[in-house]
Amino acid sequence: MLSKKTKYAFHALTYLGKHKDEGSVLIQDIAAKHGISHKFLENILLELKKAGFLGSKKGKGGGYYLIKEPRDIPLSRIIRLLDGPIALLPCVSLNYYEACEECEDQVRCGLNKVMIQVRDETLNILENKTLADILDKE
Amino acid sequence: MLSKKTKYAFHALTYLGKHKDEGSVLIQDIAAKHGISHKFLENILLELKKAGFLGSKKGKGGGYYLIKEPRDIPLSRIIRLLDGPIALLPCVSLNYYEACEECEDQVRCGLNKVMIQVRDETLNILENKTLADILDKE
DNA sequence: TATAAACCCTACTTTTTTTATAGGTTTTAT
DNA sequence: ATAAAACCTATAAAAAAAGTAGGGTTTATA
């Protein structure tokens, strides 16, 4: 399951996407709207900023805003940023690969093969669906 | 990611599948083979037994054995038993549904739609692939 | 130029989940 | 009888997730 961090990130991005023509948006507005702790959300927005999705303006009248087009933000990138691997096994992860320590040979591992399939189907969706697709439906 | 519990369960089931013509198998054999803690694995095998996948024989010369055909054990059932939901969001889970509390209306939620797709593609694989498929490849 | 509003940053605490251990009970072959 | 093995429940330890704290920095504006 996705962590709350990731879910909150999606809520925030969606909110920012909806208000992208209104300049910058306050953390507090997003937090209040979705009943998220201000401080927790602050950390998340900071991560999204450092990763290049958001820009911000400090000081009075400041706030956050999208600096990428929604269609250029694949869902997979947000999930990986906040939650880490999308794959169900470390030995199948493209971005966070690790060998399974209790496994003697992943080449002959039947589970490995199935999980590669699951990963590919999942990524096929999550790499191609973007923030824009989410915004469309709301 | 799948928990260790689930991974260990798959190792155990695979081991039991490979040795299904040799009567019962000791917890200790499986644990030693994969470097798993005996006691931890014991709990897992007990769960698998209670769920109807394994049988056991107590006392000296006892052990565990499969009571279902490998082709009748879909991977999804093992994952759900040990790890819970397969879906990425509670509001999209078939077996463990819960509303997302920070979400005002899941019907108009764009993320919900995408995650239903992911769930369906994932389940399409995990419900149809069984222990037999894993055994084949090893 | 003082003030208040807002983001920035790091560290810490709390809670929850996962992983593992402990220790006895019951059953059964020999 | 004895030893080997599964059965059962509770607890502990470790790790991860969620949330909090508090001061630092920047900036609009009066």
Side-chain angles (χ1 to χ4, degrees), chain B residues 81-97:
Chain B
L81 179 66
L82 282 316
D83 257 3
I86 288 170
L88 291 180
L89 290 178
C91 63
V92 141
S93 171
L94 296 174
N95 290 261
Y96 301 84
Y97 174 84

Side-chain angles (χ1 to χ4, degrees), chain B residues 16-85:
Chain B
L16 289 170
K18 281 182 183 168
H19 297 78
K20 64 185 303 227
D21 299 325
E22 302 164 26
S24 64
V25 170
L26 296 186
I27 296 177
Q28 189 46 49
D29 290 352
I30 306 172
K33 169 81 177 186
H34 293 284
I36 306 171
S37 141
H38 176 119
K39 280 299 207 173
F40 193 37
L41 185 58
E42 189 174 341
N43 290 328
I44 295 167
L45 293 180
L46 216 43
E47 272 197 82
L48 288 169
K49 185 195 169 184
K50 287 179 181 166
F53 299 105
L54 305 182
S56 66
K57 208 169 142 236
K58 276 182 166 181
K60 197 170 183 178
Y64 283 97
Y65 47 89
L66 279 177
I67 56 174
K68 289 200 175 212
E69 284 301 315
R71 69 168 164 280
D72 294 328
I73 305 181
L75 305 188
S76 57
R77 287 210 48 201
I78 304 302
I79 295 176
R80 288 203 180 105
L81 179 66
L82 282 316
D83 257 3

